[in-house]
Amino acid sequence: MAIHKQIPNFISLIVVSFFVIASAEVFFEERFDDGWESRWVKSDWKKDDNLAGEWNYTAGKWNGNPNDKGIQTSEDHRFYAISAKFREVNNKGKTLVFQFSVKHEQKLDCGGGYMKLISGDIDQKEFGGDTPYSIMFGPDMCGPSNKKVHAILHYNGTNHLIEKEVPCEIDQLTHVYTFILSPDATFSILIDNVEKRKGSLYTDWALLPPKRIKDPNAKKPADWDDKEYIPDPEDKKPEGYDDIPKEITDPDAKKPEDWDDEEDGEWKAPTIPNPDYKGPWAPKKIKNPAYKGKWKAPKIDNPDFKDDPDLYVYPNLKYVGIELWQVKSGTMFDNILVADDVEYAKKLAEETWGKHKDAEKAAFDEAEKKRKEEPKEEPVVSDAEDDDDSDGTDSDSESKSDTSKDSGEKEKDAHDEL
């Protein structure tokens, strides 16, 4: 009989779980299956300058499923811009979940793997670095010290960077990045379904002036004692302390045998630091019984603070976009999601990245093993090539120097614009 009682409960659990999943509202989901190009618009940004990079549709060099493809940057020293439109979304009263997977196969030294949510109407063929956005989120790396997750929110005409740095993954495998924005103005950042940072829009971004500030008119009371330690009034200087010399004659010094007093003058033994000398005397320190702690101005309500109950709201989200500058190409995006349900996002991550991550790691390890086993080929230069090269050495080196300089400037400019 107990079994019969458990069956209806089990069925109810299935029904409830199905209802929760079914009730999740997906605003945009892209797994880059057949027909993906009809949903995305490649921008002409930088095309006239011959700096617009091409996207490859691929599963990558190493993967957990050759049929699970995404889009990957394919050319070095290029700008990339592509976007997709979805029905207009207002997240007021809803949780907003922005999630995608990214992989840097090129062992990225400097470049981004972030994406943008864009509001209003834009010309997708002109989408680029100057296009306003509402949210920019994802990993960014440049140099040994800058390896972080960007979480930039647009508010009142300004882009605000998160103030607490979140480290990003730096290997060459796929990782899932999730940004969750809740109606109570709290947020959470997940990497591979693990929470890395949580907090509030009020405290982790400078979107609004602080609610409380130090009272500018407050003064430290005259009798406030903020000395934690004081000289011990009972401590007395030892008798004869001031008579101890800093230096003494070296007792081990000997007059050289060849020393001539008439020619060299009277010999004097050198001096050495006196081990008994302890420096100027000072009484020892003791805890101050009247110590009140470090004085701090009391806080008052900030007269410039005006709360915004819609601080978290983006009323007309309409596009998802990728806009990057890459010195080294090879970054791949996949499984992009904009939704209102955290559990659905976690489930999607497990069905895609979670299901294939072990196989991908094994494929990467095998690829690395083969790469290390491959013999390095030494370049063979003929005498004729030497002669030819000597004619154009200066121009070639100048050209390479200019290219390197341009790339470095673009790389710096691209990060400064963030």
Side-chain angles (χ1 to χ4, degrees):
M1 293 299 292
I3 296 176
H4 291 292
K5 289 180 180 179
Q6 290 177 359
I7 291 175
N9 292 335
F10 179 70
I11 294 174
S12 298
L13 181 60
I14 294 175
V15 171
V16 170
S17 299
F18 175 78
F19 175 77
V20 170
I21 295 172
S23 65
E25 190 170 2
V26 175
F27 310 125
F28 179 85
E29 183 172 346
E30 179 61 80
R31 302 198 187 192
F32 290 102
D33 48 15
D34 292 341
W36 71 271
E37 289 181 295
S38 65
R39 298 184 290 273
W40 290 79
V41 176
K42 296 178 183 177
S43 175
D44 290 333
W45 181 53
K46 298 295 182 180
K47 196 171 184 179
D48 291 342
D49 300 326
N50 293 321
L51 289 172
E54 289 294 324
W55 295 92
N56 278 345
Y57 179 52
T58 176
K61 297 176 182 177
W62 45 84
N63 56 75
N65 179 4
N67 296 318
D68 185 6
K69 298 181 179 181
I71 56 173
Q72 184 180 47
T73 59
S74 66
E75 299 174 273
D76 297 344
H77 305 292
R78 290 293 185 271
F79 291 90
Y80 294 86
I82 191 169
S83 63
K85 186 177 181 179
F86 52 88
R87 66 177 179 81
E88 189 171 276
V89 171
N90 183 341
N91 70 311
K92 186 177 177 66
K94 301 176 181 178
T95 297
L96 179 65
V97 183
F98 185 24
Q99 177 175 284
F100 59 90
S101 68
V102 62
K103 173 170 65 167
H104 301 298
E105 287 193 337
Q106 71 275 46
K107 199 170 185 179
L108 190 64
D109 296 318
C110 188
Y114 39 79
M115 296 189 66
K116 297 177 176 181
L117 288 180
I118 304 160
S119 298
D121 290 310
I122 64 169
D123 182 349
Q124 290 179 263
K125 295 297 287 183
E126 297 297 323
F127 169 56
D130 295 329
T131 304
Y133 60 86
S134 295
I135 297 174
M136 185 175 118
F137 173 67
D140 184 38
M141 291 183 275
C142 196
S145 60
N146 182 21
K147 301 178 187 295
K148 61 187 177 184
V149 178
H150 272 307
I152 303 177
L153 304 180
H154 184 87
Y155 182 75
N156 280 353
T158 303
N159 293 330
H160 297 268
L161 280 73
I162 191 170
E163 295 186 341
K164 296 179 180 178
E165 190 167 298
V166 182
C168 66
E169 297 294 330
I170 60 174
D171 58 30
Q172 294 168 264
L173 301 173
T174 299
H175 295 283
V176 179
Y177 289 83
T178 309
F179 183 69
I180 303 166
L181 187 56
S182 301
D184 61 355
T186 59
F187 78 97
S188 181
I189 292 174
L190 281 63
I191 303 178
D192 297 339
N193 270 351
V194 177
E195 187 174 73
K196 300 296 183 178
R197 178 84 72 217
K198 65 179 179 179
S200 169
L201 300 188
Y202 288 98
T203 56
D204 290 77
W205 285 266
L207 303 178
L208 297 175
K211 290 181 180 181
R212 305 268 292 171
I213 60 172
K214 293 179 180 179
D215 185 352
N217 298 317
K219 305 293 182 184
K220 183 169 74 170
D223 61 349
W224 188 278
D225 194 338
D226 57 4
K227 298 183 183 68
E228 188 173 358
Y229 292 91
I230 59 172
D232 183 356
E234 303 295 327
D235 194 17
K236 304 297 181 184
K237 185 194 295 185
E239 187 175 347
Y241 188 92
D242 291 337
D243 298 330
I244 301 173
K246 290 184 180 181
E247 295 182 333
I248 59 173
T249 302
D250 185 355
D252 297 326
K254 304 292 182 183
K255 180 178 178 180
E257 292 182 1
D258 59 352
W259 186 274
D260 189 323
D261 288 341
E262 293 184 0
E263 292 185 7
D264 302 325
E266 183 182 356
W267 181 83
K268 293 181 179 180
T271 59
I272 60 172
N274 184 357
D276 294 328
Y277 180 74
K278 306 301 181 183
W281 184 84
K284 66 182 179 181
K285 298 278 189 176
I286 61 171
K287 278 276 190 179
N288 180 4
Y291 176 64
K292 293 184 178 181
K294 298 298 181 182
W295 183 83
K296 295 180 181 179
K299 289 197 172 184
I300 61 172
D301 291 337
N302 184 359
D304 296 327
F305 175 78
K306 184 179 180 181
D307 197 9
D308 182 358
D310 291 338
L311 189 62
Y312 72 97
V313 176
Y314 292 96
N316 56 344
L317 295 172
K318 210 169 181 178
Y319 301 88
V320 60
I322 307 171
E323 175 272 309
L324 306 167
W325 158 257
Q326 290 211 314
V327 175
K328 291 170 66 178
S329 63
T331 297
M332 190 166 79
F333 295 87
D334 198 2
N335 300 311
I336 302 165
L337 177 71
V338 183
D340 69 352
D341 188 88
V342 176
E343 292 307 314
Y344 180 83
K346 289 182 177 180
K347 182 173 178 290
L348 173 62
E350 288 302 326
E351 287 178 351
T352 53
W353 161 83
K355 186 177 180 180
H356 304 304
K357 62 184 177 70
D358 292 340
E360 181 191 50
K361 179 63 167 61
F364 170 75
D365 290 343
E366 183 62 26
E368 279 293 282
K369 181 181 177 183
K370 289 181 179 180
R371 182 184 65 82
K372 292 176 181 178
E373 290 175 350
E374 288 177 356
K376 294 182 180 179
E377 295 183 4
E378 295 292 335
V380 178
V381 181
S382 67
D383 292 341
E385 287 175 336
D386 287 340
D387 293 340
D388 290 342
D389 287 346
S390 64
D391 293 337
T393 299
D394 293 340
S395 61
D396 285 349
S397 63
E398 289 173 4
S399 174
K400 290 175 182 177
S401 176
D402 291 344
T403 301
S404 176
K405 180 180 179 183
D406 289 345
S407 299
E409 289 175 350
K410 288 168 190 164
E411 181 178 318
K412 183 179 183 298
D413 290 346
H415 280 75
D416 287 346
E417 287 173 1
L418 298 179

